[in-house]
Amino acid sequence: YNRMKKIVFLLLLFVSCRVGAQQFHLIPKVGLNLANTTGEVDSKVRPGLNVGLGGDVMLTERFGIEAGVYYSMQGSKYNGNGVSYTDKLDYINIPVYAKEFIYKGLYLFGGPQFSFNVNSENKASSDHATTVIGMNVIRTFDCGVGLGAGYQFERGLLVSLNYNIGLINVNKAWASNSNPKANNSVVQLNVGWRFAL
């Protein structure tokens, strides 16, 4: 856990150190999450939002590094015995992506993402009642990989689509059906604005 935090810090420090020598862009973003957890039986997508602030530094005319900090609503939904359940797993995500423009404003990106759980609740809803309880079995840290593509318009508007898969089981214990092995899985559609500083 501490090693991962050091890696994140060093990567962000590297990006910030390049600002003085290369062009730096600030990129606020907001978008739609289609989140799920792999490995859980009959789990369904939980829609949500992600919002935050990123930035990139172009190391060459076409290649750069993009990093950011985003609040991301994740988790999953499922049904059982006439009750619908929603696992609300919200994270602070810190992606650090390599970014390559391949044709005009079209670019590809990918790299690691470091995530810190800030909210974990299970909401159970039926015809009779709704209850919300905290989930103490969720790990506070996740590390994943993201891949995506985007398009940068000349005036600053950008759109992007990416997929992130977590590499760490979100459940602390998974030796029973009540706590299955599960990994975060999120499709994100974002819009943002990129401007030079």
Side-chain angles (χ1 to χ4, degrees):
Y1 177 75
N2 289 330
R3 182 177 295 177
M4 286 297 181
K5 289 198 295 185
K6 290 178 181 178
I7 291 172
V8 173
F9 174 76
L10 290 173
L11 287 170
L12 293 177
L13 181 62
F14 168 76
V15 172
S16 63
C17 287
R18 301 294 301 184
V19 172
Q22 307 291 336
Q23 188 176 30
F24 179 76
H25 300 90
L26 202 61
I27 314 172
K29 291 183 183 179
V30 63
L32 170 68
N33 279 358
L34 298 176
N36 206 333
T37 46
T38 65
E40 293 187 311
V41 178
D42 298 327
S43 64
K44 299 178 181 179
V45 167
R46 180 200 177 197
L49 296 176
N50 72 87
V51 60
L53 183 63
D56 70 16
V57 55
M58 300 308 296
L59 305 179
T60 68
E61 184 179 354
R62 291 183 174 273
F63 178 78
I65 301 294
E66 179 177 329
V69 179
Y70 303 91
Y71 186 88
S72 182
M73 300 168 63
Q74 300 174 198
S76 62
K77 292 184 175 183
Y78 54 97
N79 298 315
N81 299 321
V83 181
S84 61
Y85 300 89
T86 301
D87 286 343
K88 298 182 176 182
L89 307 180
D90 298 341
Y91 290 84
I92 298 296
N93 289 337
I94 305 174
V96 182
Y97 292 148
K99 182 176 184 179
E100 175 81 21
F101 284 87
I102 59 173
Y103 180 73
K104 295 185 178 180
L106 180 64
Y107 63 92
L108 303 177
F109 59 91
Q113 176 174 273
F114 308 95
S115 303
F116 302 88
N117 182 261
V118 293
N119 181 51
S120 53
E121 296 177 340
N122 178 269
K123 179 181 179 182
S125 301
S126 67
D127 294 336
H128 307 290
T130 298
T131 59
V132 178
I133 60 173
M135 300 172 66
N136 59 5
V137 297
I138 302 300
R139 297 183 190 275
T140 57
F141 177 75
D142 188 22
C143 179
V145 175
L147 295 170
Y151 193 87
Q152 175 67 59
F153 294 91
E154 291 184 2
R155 293 185 179 273
L157 176 69
L158 65 83
V159 293
S160 64
L161 178 67
N162 63 280
Y163 175 68
N164 295 319
I165 180 68
L167 302 178
I168 298 175
N169 177 20
V170 300
N171 291 317
K172 294 178 182 177
W174 55 277
S176 68
N177 290 332
S178 60
N179 283 318
K181 186 176 181 179
N183 296 74
N184 282 307
S185 172
V186 189
V187 174
Q188 295 180 317
L189 176 63
N190 283 76
V191 295
W193 197 268
R194 180 175 181 254
F195 55 93
L197 290 183

